Amino acid sequence: DYKLLKIRGPVGDDTWHLHNIVRDPGETRDLKAEDPARFQAMLSLYERFEQENGVLQPPEGYNHIRQVALNTLHDRFRGELLVVIVLAIVLLLFVLFSRHNRKGVSK
């Protein structure tokens, strides 16, 4: 019936919260202060799970919203993005080559 969670920044406060998801499905009331024994027991279980399963902490400055956006762009536009990048490089080379040839002709 209980849920322990930590929402990291930038939208979260980076602290642990305890909710009874049966009585409070909207998770509006943090029970950490009201039920410290349950909170500590659940946190200890999670910490043991972390150690036993090699859970890695996110690196300093990690922004999950940014990462979701990057993953979405990568998954949705991977092929198209590659085409755009190659096209941009070809156009840049064409412009540079054209400018170089014009300079040589005008001399």
Side-chain angles (χ1 to χ4, degrees):
D1 292 358
Y2 290 86
K3 176 180 178 180
L4 181 71
L5 77 143
K6 180 196 285 191
I7 301 174
R8 301 185 188 283
V11 295
D13 59 5
D14 288 327
T15 61
W16 287 102
H17 299 274
L18 177 66
H19 297 282
N20 182 317
I21 58 175
V22 172
R23 291 189 201 136
D24 179 20
E27 300 175 13
T28 60
R29 197 164 145 224
D30 187 359
L31 302 173
K32 177 173 51 177
E34 292 177 33
D35 197 350
R38 183 182 309 274
F39 173 76
Q40 279 304 318
M42 290 180 73
L43 185 57
S44 294
L45 286 171
Y46 177 74
E47 289 169 346
R48 188 173 86 206
F49 173 84
E50 270 187 327
Q51 290 176 347
E52 291 174 355
N53 293 283
V55 175
L56 300 174
Q57 295 300 315
E60 190 67 33
Y62 177 78
N63 182 324
H64 64 279
I65 295 172
R66 179 178 174 267
Q67 191 62 51
V68 167
L70 290 173
N71 291 353
T72 300
L73 288 173
H74 181 265
D75 289 346
R76 304 266 179 176
F77 304 111
R78 178 182 23 222
E80 293 87 347
L81 188 59
L82 182 60
V83 169
V84 169
I85 290 171
V86 169
L87 182 60
I89 291 171
V90 168
L91 287 173
L92 179 64
L93 291 173
F94 178 76
V95 168
L96 292 173
F97 183 74
S98 296
R99 285 185 181 179
H100 178 71
N101 280 343
R102 281 190 209 151
K103 287 180 183 178
V105 170
S106 62
K107 285 184 180 180

